[in-house]
């Protein structure tokens, strides 16, 4: 009985078998629940819920791609766990589609997307899956927008190359006249910084109109006191840059010519040519493009005097020279025509020529008026007794009078103005000169103003409209040296040559003190500066043995 009970079928078991079955049922139930729990964990445990089916295996890629569709869940035929995972994947795909559509949409489309909700995201997902025949996806729309932006940037660059930029600060969109007015209140430093912003502003700030006001307040910028531009061929901005070197005294010194024996040279500038006297000759040299060197071979040599040339001027394509032999020479610059005639009993110290009239002054205490007309060449019009040796002479720009500077030994005033037509004395300038305060150089700056210098170590500025008894301004040489020559830019700058050590001094007429001093010789070769001339870039000084240059363009 016992053996039959143990070997019988399960369904027909006896009492013992039933008790064992009853004992195993709770254990089997717990094992089944544990197995189902593990299966559920495997089904949804991967990153992003990638489990598929009851066994929790990774879902195929096709199923992942189809998860974005509304009804393409791969777990449709799977168990309950797989179906739940498929639903989760559908929701994740829809949310990703919505986010992609929002990123690729513009502001208006993004707002509409918020209103449409998930359905708009699902439609965007379908467009992504569509082939080339379908509508463009977000990537295609972004490419189109980038292409449009590139075309716009190219158009802006072309517009900037042609004129002002199409986009940028509101300042650029103002009318040009208003921009010029605004920028006219800026100084040189501010304009320079503005030019570094962009290419268009660099071109705009290079306009001469913006720099004229600054140039007129600068030293040796080519503008006269009345605003006349003497160097219109050079941009005003470039002249202002070089003007800063004049103000700060930054220059490079060089020697253009040397002489074997001591000379008392005089010189004049005309265009790109330099005329300088050496002994009884006048030589013409051509400047090289840098302006700081000369072609060694002279363009022309003008002779005719038996002794040294003391002084000469350029007028009407002629060179009018005064010599130590008491003669006046007339030379045509572009030909070999030369005429000389006896003018004074002693050396002729000075000469000037304007409007076809020549005036000369001599050591014989006379001043004479001559005609330059071909039919009356060498004919004296007036002889004036000055009672003193005449060192300097100049004709007024109005061609109505001329002024003489004498040695101040036979008359109380070394400066006297004479009528050019009659030769009569019109007036004298000043009355408090000490004896021997001779005037070695003078020049008219305008019909009513002139500058003088000489043995009394003063530069004096005279305004005939204010007073003829007293100068309106004066500057004293700080080392009490005789001033042999002077030159002005017609505005603020003065340059003088002293009698010792070849000292060239620069003066700002708005200040009392000397601005800069340049000694051009050492103690063993001390020499006066007999003559000096300057342009906006260079200063030339003639001494006993050398012709010096100060280069302010390339210091």
């Amino acid at each position: 009985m016992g053996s039959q009970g143990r070997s019988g079928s399960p369904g027909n078991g006896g009492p013992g078998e039933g008790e064992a079955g009853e004992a195993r049922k709770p254990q089997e139930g717990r094992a089944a629940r544990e197995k189902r729990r593990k299966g559920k964990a495997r089904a949804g445990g991967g990153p992003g819920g990638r489990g598929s089916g009851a066994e929790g295996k990774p879902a195929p890629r096709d199923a992942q791609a189809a998860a974005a569709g509304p009804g393409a869940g791969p777990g449709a035929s799977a168990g309950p766990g797989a179906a739940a995972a498929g639903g989760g994947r559908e929701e994740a795909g829809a949310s990703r589609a919505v986010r992609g559509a929002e990123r690729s949409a513009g502001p208006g489309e993004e707002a509409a997307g918020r209103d449409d909700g998930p359905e708009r995201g699902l439609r965007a997902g379908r467009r992504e899956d569509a082939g080339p025949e379908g509508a463009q996806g977000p990537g295609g729309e972004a490419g189109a927008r980038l292409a449009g932006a590139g075309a716009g940037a190219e158009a802006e660059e072309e517009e900037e190359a042609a004129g002002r930029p199409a986009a940028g600060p509101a300042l650029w969109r103002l009318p040009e006249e208003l921009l010029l007015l605004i920028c006219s209140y800026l100084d040189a430093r501010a304009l320079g910084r503005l030019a570094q912003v962009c290419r268009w502003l660099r071109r705009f700030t290079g306009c001469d109109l913006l720099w004229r006001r600054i140039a007129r307040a600068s030293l040796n910028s080519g503008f006269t006191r009345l605003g006349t531009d003497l160097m219109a061929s050079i941009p005003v901005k470039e002249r202002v840059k070089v003007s800063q070197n004049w103000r700060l005294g930054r220059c490079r010194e060089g020697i253009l010519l040397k002489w074997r024996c001591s000379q008392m040279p005089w010189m004049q500038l005309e265009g790109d040519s330099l005329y300088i006297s050496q002994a009884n000759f006048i030589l013409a040299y051509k400047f090289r493009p840098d302006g700081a060197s000369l072609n060694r071979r002279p363009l022309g040599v003008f002779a005719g005097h038996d002794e040294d040339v003391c002084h000469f001027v350029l007028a009407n394509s002629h060179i009018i020279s005064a010599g130590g032999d008491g003669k006046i020479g007339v030379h045509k610059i572009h030909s070999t025509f030369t005429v000389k005639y006896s003018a004074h009993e002693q050396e002729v110290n000075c000469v000037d020529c304007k409007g076809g009239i020549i005036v000369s002054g001599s050591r014989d205490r006379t001043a004479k008026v001559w005609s330059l007309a071909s039919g009356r060449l060498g004919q004296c019009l007036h002889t004036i007794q000055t009672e003193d040796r005449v060192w300097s002479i100049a004709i007024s720009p109005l061609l109505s009078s001329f002024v003489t500077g004498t040695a101040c030994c036979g008359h109380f005033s070394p400066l006297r103005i004479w009528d050019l037509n009659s030769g009569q004395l019109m007036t004298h300038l000043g009355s408090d000169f000490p004896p021997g305060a001779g005037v070695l150089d003078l020049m008219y700056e305008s019909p009513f103003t002139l500058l003088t210098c000489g043995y009394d170590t003063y530069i004096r500025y005279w305004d005939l409209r204010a007073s003829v008894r007293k100068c309106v301004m004066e500057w004293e040489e700080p080392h009490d040296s005789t001033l042999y020559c002077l030159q002005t830019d017609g505005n603020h700058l003065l340059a003088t040559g002293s009698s010792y050590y070849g000292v060239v001094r620069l003066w700002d007429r708005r200040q009392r003190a000397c601005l800069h001093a340049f000694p051009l010789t050492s103690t063993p070769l001390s020499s006066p500066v007999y003559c000096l001339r300057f342009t906006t870039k260079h200063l030339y000084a003639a001494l006993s043995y050398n012709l010096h240059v100060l280069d302010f363009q390339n210091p």
Side-chain angles (χ1 to χ4, degrees):
M1 293 285 297
S3 60
Q4 288 180 356
R6 290 190 295 272
S7 61
S9 63
N12 301 322
E17 183 180 357
E19 293 173 1
E22 292 291 337
R24 287 196 298 269
K25 282 181 181 180
Q27 297 179 1
E28 289 177 358
R30 286 194 296 271
R33 287 193 298 271
E34 185 70 18
K35 187 175 182 180
R36 284 197 300 270
R37 192 182 303 112
K38 291 181 179 179
K40 289 181 180 180
R42 290 194 192 99
R50 289 183 299 175
S52 149
E55 296 178 359
K57 296 181 180 178
R61 293 184 180 179
D62 295 338
Q64 292 179 12
S77 61
R89 286 196 300 273
E90 287 181 4
E91 293 177 1
S95 63
R96 284 197 299 272
V98 170
R99 287 195 297 272
E102 289 177 355
R103 290 194 199 100
S104 62
E109 296 175 0
E110 184 177 356
R114 295 193 196 99
D115 297 336
D116 290 347
E119 295 181 359
R120 181 177 178 85
L122 296 177
R123 289 196 297 270
R126 295 193 190 99
R127 285 198 298 270
E128 289 180 8
D129 295 338
E133 296 179 357
Q136 290 184 352
E141 294 176 2
R145 283 195 295 272
L146 289 175
E154 291 177 359
E156 290 181 5
E157 289 179 0
E158 292 177 359
E159 187 170 355
E160 182 176 356
R164 70 175 67 190
L171 178 68
W172 289 351
R173 296 190 289 273
L174 293 177
E176 188 170 336
E177 295 80 5
L178 187 56
L179 277 177
L180 287 173
L181 178 61
I182 294 172
C183 294
S184 65
Y185 292 95
L186 302 179
D187 57 6
R189 183 184 296 272
L191 283 176
R193 290 177 176 173
L194 187 62
Q196 298 175 355
V197 174
C198 66
R199 288 175 294 177
W200 183 80
L201 281 178
R202 182 178 180 85
R203 290 192 296 268
F204 179 77
T205 55
C207 176
D208 284 353
L209 293 176
L210 293 177
W211 293 91
R212 286 179 66 94
R213 176 185 59 84
I214 300 173
R216 291 185 62 178
S218 303
L219 293 177
N220 196 23
S221 60
F223 286 88
T224 64
R225 181 166 295 186
L226 299 178
T228 304
D229 190 355
L230 304 177
M231 308 290 293
S233 60
I234 304 176
V236 181
K237 181 179 179 179
E238 299 300 322
R239 286 182 270 165
V240 172
K241 288 182 181 178
V242 179
S243 174
Q244 302 304 312
N245 295 333
W246 288 87
R247 181 178 63 86
L248 300 173
R250 296 188 299 217
C251 64
R252 177 168 52 89
E253 182 184 345
I255 296 178
L256 296 181
L257 296 172
K258 294 182 179 182
W259 302 289
R260 295 181 179 178
C261 57
S262 179
Q263 306 279 345
M264 296 180 63
W266 193 260
M267 65 176 172
Q268 297 287 354
L269 300 178
E270 186 177 70
D272 60 349
S273 299
L274 169 73
Y275 297 83
I276 188 166
S277 63
Q278 297 181 25
N280 57 338
F281 299 98
I282 299 175
L283 291 85
Y285 292 92
K286 185 177 180 63
F287 284 110
R288 291 175 180 170
D290 60 356
S293 57
L294 295 171
N295 293 327
R296 291 303 178 185
R297 184 182 296 274
L299 293 175
V301 179
F302 305 93
H305 290 279
D306 299 327
E307 296 186 20
D308 291 353
V309 176
C310 300
H311 197 281
F312 69 92
V313 294
L314 306 177
N316 301 328
S317 300
H318 290 80
I319 300 176
I320 315 298
S321 60
D325 54 2
K327 297 178 181 179
I328 293 177
V330 179
H331 318 269
K332 279 193 174 180
I333 294 178
H334 302 293
S335 70
T336 58
F337 174 80
T338 298
V339 174
K340 65 177 181 178
Y341 51 89
S342 296
H344 294 269
E345 297 178 358
Q346 297 185 28
E347 62 186 50
V348 185
N349 293 321
C350 52
V351 67
D352 196 12
C353 180
K354 281 188 179 70
I357 300 294
I358 300 173
V359 293
S360 60
S362 173
R363 195 181 183 91
D364 63 3
R365 302 186 180 188
T366 63
K368 295 186 178 183
V369 181
W370 312 82
S371 175
L372 189 59
S374 57
R376 304 175 65 182
L377 188 63
Q379 179 180 350
C380 181
L381 302 180
H382 303 290
T383 300
I384 301 168
Q385 300 295 327
T386 60
E387 304 174 2
D388 218 338
R389 290 167 291 176
V390 182
W391 297 123
S392 55
I393 198 166
I395 299 176
S396 167
L398 297 178
L399 304 179
S400 59
S401 60
F402 67 97
V403 59
T404 57
T406 61
C408 196
C409 294
H411 194 272
F412 66 89
S413 174
L415 292 168
R416 281 174 284 178
I417 299 177
W418 311 85
D419 186 271
L420 192 59
N421 297 320
S422 63
Q424 299 298 315
L425 177 66
M426 296 177 62
T427 186
H428 61 269
L429 302 179
S431 57
D432 55 351
F433 291 95
V439 175
L440 295 178
D441 198 11
L442 56 84
M443 62 183 302
Y444 273 97
E445 194 175 39
S446 73
F448 306 103
T449 58
L450 66 155
L451 290 158
T452 63
C453 68
Y455 283 113
D456 65 347
T457 73
Y458 278 93
I459 308 166
R460 289 186 171 88
Y461 177 64
W462 305 85
D463 191 337
L464 305 181
R465 298 164 297 185
S467 173
V468 296
R469 295 289 175 260
K470 187 174 179 59
C471 64
V472 294
M473 191 171 292
E474 61 183 16
W475 300 267
E476 184 179 7
E477 215 283 337
H479 293 164
D480 292 332
S481 299
T482 299
L483 298 175
Y484 272 61
C485 54
L486 64 85
Q487 189 73 11
T488 179
D489 66 344
N491 197 2
H492 301 300
L493 180 67
L494 290 174
T496 59
S498 304
S499 59
Y500 296 115
Y501 309 118
V503 175
V504 172
R505 295 188 183 275
L506 300 181
W507 308 77
D508 188 340
R509 295 162 72 163
R510 296 164 291 189
Q511 305 175 12
R512 286 287 184 179
C514 170
L515 193 61
H516 299 289
F518 305 95
L520 302 180
T521 61
S522 57
T523 304
L525 298 175
S526 179
S527 166
V529 179
Y530 290 107
C531 183
L532 62 82
R533 296 288 184 267
F534 60 76
T535 65
T536 56
K537 300 177 181 178
H538 303 90
L539 185 145
Y540 308 96
L543 281 67
S544 299
Y545 293 94
N546 304 306
L547 174 62
H548 293 257
V549 59
L550 299 179
D551 185 356
F552 289 89
Q553 183 182 18
N554 301 302

